[in-house]
Amino acid sequence: MFECIRTWKGLGRIYNIWLGPTPESFFAVGEIFSDSVNEYRVTECRMSDENPNKNLLEGKFENSTFVSLAPKSNLIASHNRNTIEVWDLTTQAKVSEFNNHGRIIHSSFVGNDGESIFISFNDGFTWAWNLNKNRLLYTFSAILSIHSRCFVLSPNKNMIVAADYENRGFIKAWSYSTGEELWNIDLSSYSIEYVMSLALVESLNILVISSPQGHIIFWDILAGQSVRSIQSGEAIETAVWDKHDNLLIIGNRYGNIRILDLNNHKDALLISAHGQSRIEAISIVDEHKFVSAGWHGTLKLWSKQ
């Protein structure tokens, strides 16, 4: 049903991929290891070009401990232990830099509204910081993973969702605008002791929750209840729902992608996608294509045939 039509290699140890502001592009962040330095690399890929289009801000992330993107708001964020830097994705000019907290940063992500950056610290708290006004908006008790598949930042639904940092069998939701806790769920009754990935289908108000033991729950965020559960049998790293054809696309720790047809409860396809390299991320491009990232630095574009 799907076949690989593009492959990009040598992009570093990939942590996250982001779809670009146009349908033709997407971005990967990988960590490059060498004898002299470990450096993050931001690569822009175009679906019509098999070679990486360009490395963005090359040489700027040698001292960074993490880099993330927000292509829809045209921004890149990087940090070392204490300092945040924000760059314009198009001009590659630095637009903001600040360090007024004195705490060790775990992760940082710019929201798609282009105004807020979420900074998680190792002490268990996350700040929402307004980039335009350069001030703290609110804090909440959570640590956002370095893997964007493990949390949801949705200004459209005014919601942040993440697994509890002390007990990964709980997930919590906070208001995107105020940081107020909205709800929390104990997933142990659904056979999930550890949340591996979260994916929100905004148009259907469905949160897809998966665990490394293969359990997947479809959670209605408006009704506050599970509407479907599946035992996939996979050692899941990430799971996303293709609402166009009602397909569940699962990436596992052994480099395979399994596509489940939810209409007839049968496997549609098992793909040996990335050798023995675990699947770090999967993004739905449109009703015909999706992108997968392997830990060893390879991106693949898959198209429905």
Side-chain angles (χ1 to χ4, degrees):
M1 180 179 291
F2 287 90
E3 77 174 38
C4 180
I5 60 172
R6 292 282 186 276
T7 300
W8 296 265
K9 297 181 178 181
L11 306 186
R13 180 181 290 175
I14 297 174
Y15 290 93
N16 297 299
I17 54 178
W18 285 269
L19 298 182
T22 67
E24 275 298 306
S25 65
F26 61 94
F27 300 85
V29 172
E31 191 172 7
I32 307 297
F33 296 90
S34 67
D35 294 335
S36 57
V37 67
N38 294 349
E39 179 182 359
Y40 280 88
R41 176 180 294 172
V42 179
T43 306
E44 180 184 4
C45 300
R46 293 191 177 275
M47 298 183 192
S48 57
D49 185 355
E50 191 158 350
N51 296 312
N53 183 266
K54 59 182 176 180
N55 295 330
L56 304 180
L57 294 161
E58 193 164 7
K60 297 293 187 182
F61 304 126
E62 291 183 358
N63 297 317
S64 298
T65 53
F66 188 69
V67 177
S68 65
L69 278 78
K72 292 182 181 178
S73 53
N74 206 42
L75 295 173
I76 301 175
S78 69
H79 70 253
N80 55 28
R81 287 170 62 88
N82 302 110
T83 301
I84 299 283
E85 295 177 308
V86 182
W87 311 78
D88 185 286
L89 190 60
T90 302
T91 66
Q92 302 189 37
K94 188 186 295 185
V95 296
S96 182
E97 179 178 346
F98 56 95
N99 178 352
N100 55 0
H101 43 75
R103 299 149 77 188
I104 297 175
I105 302 169
H106 176 78
S107 65
S108 57
F109 291 88
V110 177
N112 282 329
D113 58 3
E115 297 181 359
S116 304
I117 183 169
F118 296 86
I119 309 163
S120 288
F121 299 96
N122 284 352
D123 62 7
F125 288 90
T126 293
W127 286 12
W129 188 273
N130 186 288
L131 290 170
N132 296 332
K133 298 179 180 179
N134 197 30
R135 67 177 179 85
L136 180 66
L137 297 174
Y138 56 82
T139 66
F140 57 97
S141 179
I143 295 179
L144 300 183
S145 169
I146 62 172
H147 300 284
S148 60
R149 67 172 186 258
C150 297
F151 60 88
V152 171
L153 299 175
S154 177
N156 293 334
K157 295 298 179 182
N158 191 30
M159 188 175 293
I160 302 165
V161 185
D164 186 276
Y165 68 95
E166 292 182 341
N167 185 343
R168 289 292 294 266
F170 282 80
I171 59 173
K172 295 181 179 180
W174 300 265
S175 166
Y176 191 98
S177 56
T178 67
E180 177 187 2
E181 185 173 324
L182 303 175
W183 45 261
N184 63 78
I185 309 168
D186 180 358
L187 295 168
S188 60
S189 58
Y190 299 93
S191 301
I192 291 183
E193 302 295 334
Y194 189 97
V195 174
M196 182 58 77
S197 74
L198 297 167
L200 179 62
V201 183
E202 290 188 342
S203 61
L204 300 176
N205 298 305
I206 295 295
L207 182 68
V208 182
I209 308 166
S210 64
S211 79
Q213 289 76 37
H215 295 285
I216 299 170
I217 294 172
F218 293 76
W219 188 269
D220 188 320
I221 61 173
L222 296 183
Q225 63 183 19
S226 171
V227 294
R228 188 168 190 173
S229 62
I230 294 172
Q231 169 52 260
S232 69
E234 297 291 328
I236 295 175
E237 289 290 326
T238 184
V240 296
W241 181 21
D242 178 0
K243 64 178 182 179
H244 304 289
D245 292 315
N246 203 20
L247 301 177
L248 188 65
I249 304 175
I250 301 168
N252 71 19
R253 69 184 59 171
Y254 305 114
N256 300 319
I257 295 174
R258 184 178 294 278
I259 301 176
L260 302 178
D261 186 337
L262 299 180
N263 295 308
N264 55 26
H265 307 284
K266 294 181 179 179
D267 289 2
L269 191 64
L270 177 64
I271 305 170
S272 180
H274 291 272
Q276 294 299 309
S277 174
R278 73 172 182 250
I279 309 296
E280 284 297 302
I282 294 173
S283 283
I284 304 293
V285 177
D286 55 32
E287 64 268 28
H288 303 294
K289 296 186 290 292
F290 70 89
V291 177
S292 64
W295 177 254
H296 60 10
T298 298
L299 285 171
K300 292 189 175 184
L301 176 65
W302 304 89
S303 179
K304 190 180 300 179
Q305 302 299 308

